[in-house]
Amino acid sequence: MGKSVPVTEMMVKEAYKKVKANKGSAGVDKVSIEDFDKDKEGNLYKIWNRLSSGSYFPPPVREVEIPKGDGKVRKLGIPTVGDRIAQMVIKDYLEPRLEKEFSPNSYGYRPLKSTHEALAQVRRNCWLYNWVIDLDIKGFFDNISHEKLLLAIDKHVKEAWLKMYIKRWLEMPIEKANGELIYKNGKGTPQGGVISPLLANLFLHYALDKWLIQSYRNVRFVRYADDVIVHCRSKEQAELVLEKIRTRLEECELELHPEKTKIVYCKDHKRTGDYENVKFDFLGFSFKPRFSKTKDGYLFLGFDLAISTKSRKRILEVIRKTSFQRWSTNTIEGIAKELNPKIRGWINYYGKFRPSKLTSIFWHFHKRLIKWMKNKYKSLLGSTKRAYLMLKQVQQTQPTLFEHWVSGYK
């Protein structure tokens, strides 16, 4: 089979660069990227040799549990560093072919597409369509049918070696924290695998995207991986389309979450109906009725997005867990160096729409800075006012110290 597998050493080296840039933790072999780099050339040669000869078999995936806001956990599968590189090789080889097929309404994990583009499109759609179906697919990554996914693969992949590797990745077991191996029995792809998002996009391209476009030309939708927003003209249309989607997904062995899936009315100053649901969350933002100003300074009620309550609470929890107000041996410059990467990320993502909604987050951040100053300097002990004035003085003398100061959050 060796000659029929067109995997080159250069493909493996390029895949390695991407995996290293993405960072990530060790898999079941406990080998980190730093450990892998100790014999980088030898390890990369081994991956290339096995991939190009058809003899590569992926090791089990390490399962980790990530706490969710509702007290439950999200299970992620972490492949080994070597397997992430192997998956990246195949993903890079296959992705350009599948990209030609995917709908422009699909934004998740695609080159040259972003979450902000998806959010902006949902925003535009909400201004044009009165109703939204907020879809939540229950346990999507855990329930992808291998049989149906491989049928979709067959439509676009003729190479036997490529299908062989995809099948091996679908079938590789998951190793739980106690060492127990869980086999998939024909369902699921690890949420955390390099190739999983591409396979998931292909599955939903046929299970949902293409079907929606062909069946309901007068509705619009935006999909980011398994997060889907469908825009409808009327409540009756939304109810009908939701039931049809429910049936369609059941045919594809998927299920809508009964509590999280809902129909939402995009209420604003022109849409005055009284309905139960007038808000939905998407990609960390909440869409709901909000007051905005015209160019002339007049207030009006629009339907718009801003950082969600859940995202805001998550950021405040991150700030709380740092406990930097107790770093009395550190300097304010040291605090800035430690926290600026996080602050930059919050501003770049959540500050894209209605950035003023981040102000309260940085107000809490400043409260903790003031506590730090009181712990750091004995002369400020017991005087919040003097600590506050000192903070203002630092802002004036070092206006670029913290990322949010540069962005105008004082």
Side-chain angles (χ1 to χ4, degrees):
M1 178 176 269
K3 293 181 181 179
S4 65
V5 180
V7 174
T8 66
E9 287 186 82
M10 184 56 67
M11 290 164 66
V12 175
K13 287 179 180 178
E14 288 301 313
Y16 160 79
K17 290 177 186 176
K18 293 179 181 179
V19 169
K20 184 168 184 177
N22 291 336
K23 300 180 181 178
S25 55
V28 294
D29 60 359
K30 297 182 172 61
V31 174
S32 66
I33 291 175
E34 292 74 22
D35 296 330
F36 186 93
D37 281 350
K38 290 174 184 175
D39 184 22
K40 185 180 78 173
E41 295 304 319
N43 287 326
L44 292 179
Y45 178 82
K46 190 186 298 181
I47 293 168
W48 167 73
N49 188 41
R50 291 179 179 174
L51 275 177
S52 61
S53 65
S55 62
Y56 179 80
F57 285 87
V61 173
R62 180 171 70 91
E63 183 181 83
V64 296
E65 295 184 345
I66 308 297
K68 293 166 67 175
D70 57 5
K72 297 180 181 178
V73 294
R74 176 180 286 107
K75 294 180 179 179
L76 295 181
I78 310 297
T80 63
V81 173
D83 192 48
R84 294 206 291 276
I85 295 168
Q87 288 189 41
M88 187 68 78
V89 169
I90 304 306
K91 173 183 173 286
D92 287 348
Y93 183 88
L94 182 58
E95 188 170 57
R97 192 183 311 182
L98 298 184
E99 270 295 309
K100 296 175 185 177
E101 305 295 328
F102 291 158
S103 163
N105 303 308
S106 166
Y107 291 84
Y109 306 106
R110 296 183 60 188
L112 306 179
K113 293 250 186 186
S114 72
T115 51
H116 286 155
E117 288 176 322
L119 287 159
Q121 188 58 57
V122 170
R123 185 193 211 183
R124 288 190 290 269
N125 290 347
C126 286
W127 292 341
L128 297 171
Y129 290 73
N130 292 0
W131 293 87
V132 152
I133 308 172
D134 179 11
L135 295 176
D136 188 286
I137 302 174
K138 191 174 180 180
F140 169 66
F141 281 90
D142 293 334
N143 291 298
I144 293 176
S145 163
H146 292 180
E147 181 185 1
K148 287 180 168 54
L149 176 57
L150 291 171
L151 285 174
I153 290 288
D154 279 339
K155 289 178 71 72
H156 305 285
V157 177
K158 302 306 175 190
E159 302 95 326
W161 66 270
L162 197 51
K163 289 191 275 192
M164 174 188 72
Y165 281 139
I166 290 170
K167 196 165 185 293
R168 286 179 186 174
W169 275 310
L170 288 175
E171 292 175 348
M172 63 183 174
I174 294 170
E175 185 178 293
K176 297 181 77 65
N178 62 5
E180 180 187 2
L181 288 180
I182 304 295
Y183 292 86
K184 295 177 185 169
N185 298 321
K187 282 192 173 185
T189 180
Q191 192 173 354
V194 172
I195 203 169
S196 294
L198 180 62
L199 299 179
N201 270 336
L202 179 63
F203 190 94
L204 281 178
H205 171 70
Y206 285 105
L208 190 62
D209 299 0
K210 198 167 183 179
W211 174 82
L212 262 177
I213 291 167
Q214 291 173 345
S215 303
Y216 297 96
R217 296 179 183 275
N218 59 345
V219 305
R220 293 188 183 181
F221 72 94
V222 171
R223 182 172 67 78
Y224 195 95
D226 59 328
D227 289 328
V228 191
I229 303 297
V230 182
H231 303 266
C232 299
R233 295 286 184 192
S234 67
K235 185 171 185 284
E236 292 72 25
Q237 184 186 48
E239 289 170 343
L240 172 65
V241 172
L242 175 55
E243 283 312 304
K244 296 295 184 182
I245 290 173
R246 195 187 309 278
T247 302
R248 170 64 181 175
L249 292 180
E250 285 172 358
E251 291 170 354
C252 299
E253 300 179 42
L254 295 174
E255 179 187 357
L256 287 177
H257 197 293
E259 283 122 38
K260 294 181 180 178
T261 297
K262 61 181 184 290
I263 294 174
V264 177
Y265 183 56
C266 302
K267 186 172 183 176
D268 61 17
H269 67 290
K270 291 181 180 177
R271 302 159 174 162
T272 57
D274 189 16
Y275 296 95
E276 180 183 0
N277 293 324
V278 293
K279 170 191 166 185
F280 66 92
D281 286 359
F282 183 60
L283 302 179
F285 287 79
S286 288
F287 289 77
K288 68 178 186 178
R290 300 178 188 276
F291 282 103
S292 301
K293 276 187 180 180
T294 65
K295 291 179 181 178
D296 300 327
Y298 291 104
L299 280 176
F300 71 96
L301 186 67
F303 194 84
D304 209 355
L305 74 159
I307 182 173
S308 70
T309 301
K310 190 182 293 185
S311 298
R312 183 178 173 278
K313 285 180 179 177
R314 193 178 298 124
I315 291 173
L316 291 175
E317 183 65 11
V318 169
I319 293 172
R320 187 188 67 79
K321 283 185 175 179
T322 62
S323 299
F324 70 84
Q325 72 275 9
R326 297 176 186 168
W327 300 352
S328 56
T329 58
N330 208 336
T331 62
I332 196 165
E333 290 80 9
I335 293 172
K337 185 178 179 181
E338 182 74 24
L339 297 180
N340 269 340
K342 287 185 173 67
I343 295 170
R344 189 182 307 119
W346 297 331
I347 293 172
N348 287 345
Y349 188 69
Y350 295 108
K352 180 72 174 178
F353 303 98
R354 292 192 174 239
S356 62
K357 295 297 182 182
L358 298 181
T359 302
S360 64
I361 289 172
F362 295 120
W363 180 80
H364 282 281
F365 183 82
H366 289 160
K367 278 184 68 178
R368 288 183 179 269
L369 267 182
I370 288 169
K371 284 183 181 179
W372 172 81
M373 287 178 162
K374 289 163 69 177
N375 289 332
K376 174 79 173 175
Y377 304 106
K378 289 182 180 179
S379 61
L380 300 176
L381 193 63
S383 179
T384 299
K385 184 178 179 179
R386 286 203 303 273
Y388 172 78
L389 291 174
M390 179 180 278
L391 178 60
K392 283 296 175 186
Q393 188 176 14
V394 174
Q395 286 179 334
Q396 290 170 2
T397 56
Q398 296 177 267
T400 61
L401 181 60
F402 285 98
E403 284 289 330
H404 60 291
W405 292 358
V406 177
S407 299
Y409 297 98
K410 301 295 186 180

